[in-house]
Amino acid sequence: MRAAVEVRPVEQDDMVDVARLAERAVEESPSAAQGTPADASRLLEHLSVLLGAGGQVLVASHEGEICGFAVVRVIDPLLFATTTSLYVDAVFVSPSARRRGVGHALLAAAAAVAGERGAENVYCAPAPGARGMHRFLARLGFAPTSGHRVVATATLQRRLVQEDPRATRTAARAGRREATRAAIEDLVARRRRARAAGLPTGPVDLRAFQAERDAALREAAERAAERGEDVDGADGVTPLGAVPRRSAASESVPS
């Protein structure tokens, strides 16, 4: 005759065995959110914190050996949930004790806790890839409900900044300010280099250059006139803005 499975609340002496089973559960979990390296000491600490916060750990023993556990907590009415519920955080059965009714016994004990606390519903959120657990829960009447999604905190913060239109406008303004600052710094650097080389750093005034050139042209024209030369072609220099006149002797006669 097969020995019966006993389910009872966890005791202090059971904590190490439960932590070892939880370590195995983490290793078997297909969920990326739970894919951190298993650490029995860390899991033992988490279980202690959960118990201190009002949660319950139920352990199943078969032939005197702890072979499974369930972590449950009662959720009082909230904003969108007007009734009390029981949430099953985790259910795990040791591979060597599976198909012996251990999972049924653990959920029967969880249902008894729900009845005692007046919980109208029992929730359980197994990992998406845990097909065996999903089939097991479906056979017991668990139906799909709202799905869970998970995101790394750093990723969420970065996406919030990227999706915020105010942040986009702020980044654009900051980019324009940075471009203006870079242009000013470049202009200052070029003027400093020009001063170091003895070159003018301000705007170039072409009016003085044009006045000097016009004076030189007039002086050349006067000298040419004194020598009786053609003013328009004096020394091969043409006054600024004047069109050279063609003499009659230089005009070609069409044949």
Side-chain angles (χ1 to χ4, degrees):
M1 181 176 179
R2 187 171 64 181
V5 177
E6 177 188 1
V7 179
R8 55 179 173 77
V10 70
E11 298 177 356
Q12 187 62 37
D13 295 340
D14 304 325
M15 293 295 289
V16 174
D17 292 333
V18 173
R20 289 173 180 169
L21 285 176
E23 184 179 18
R24 180 67 180 272
V26 171
E27 292 174 351
E28 292 188 5
S29 173
S31 173
Q34 301 176 5
T36 55
D39 183 353
S41 60
R42 179 180 58 83
L43 293 171
L44 179 61
E45 180 181 356
H46 287 188
L47 288 170
S48 300
V49 171
L50 186 143
L51 290 172
Q56 298 183 53
V57 178
L58 305 173
V59 294
S61 60
H62 181 260
E63 296 182 347
E65 181 180 355
I66 293 178
C67 56
F69 71 92
V71 179
V72 301
R73 52 193 171 96
V74 176
I75 302 178
D76 294 324
L78 300 174
L79 178 61
F80 297 109
T82 59
T83 60
T84 301
S85 301
L86 183 78
Y87 194 89
V88 181
D89 286 282
V91 178
F92 182 74
V93 177
S94 174
S96 61
R98 291 171 186 171
R99 300 186 182 278
R100 297 180 181 178
V102 178
H104 284 78
L106 286 169
L107 284 181
V113 173
E116 294 172 0
R117 298 294 298 271
E120 294 187 6
N121 297 288
V122 178
Y123 288 88
C124 185
R131 298 180 180 178
M133 179 58 70
H134 280 278
R135 289 193 295 267
F136 170 68
L137 293 174
R139 288 198 302 269
L140 295 178
F142 283 80
T145 184
S146 59
H148 290 71
R149 289 181 177 269
V150 62
V151 62
T153 302
T155 301
L156 176 60
Q157 292 172 339
R158 183 174 65 255
R159 293 291 180 86
L160 287 172
V161 172
Q162 294 173 349
E163 295 293 333
D164 188 356
R166 293 173 300 177
T168 303
R169 291 194 295 268
T170 301
R173 288 195 295 267
R176 290 193 295 269
R177 288 196 299 268
E178 186 63 26
T180 303
R181 186 182 301 109
I184 293 174
E185 291 177 353
D186 179 67
L187 177 61
V188 171
R190 286 190 285 109
R191 287 186 174 179
R192 287 175 179 173
R193 291 194 296 269
R195 283 197 298 268
L199 300 175
T201 59
V204 179
D205 189 356
L206 295 179
R207 291 176 296 178
F209 169 76
Q210 292 174 349
E212 293 177 359
R213 185 175 185 276
D214 291 343
L217 291 174
R218 285 194 298 270
E219 183 180 353
E222 291 173 357
R223 290 198 302 269
E226 292 175 357
R227 294 194 298 269
E229 298 176 355
D230 187 358
V231 176
D232 295 334
D235 297 333
V237 179
T238 301
L240 183 64
V243 178
R245 295 193 302 272
R246 302 174 64 183
S247 62
S250 64
E251 293 182 354
S252 61
V253 178
S255 57

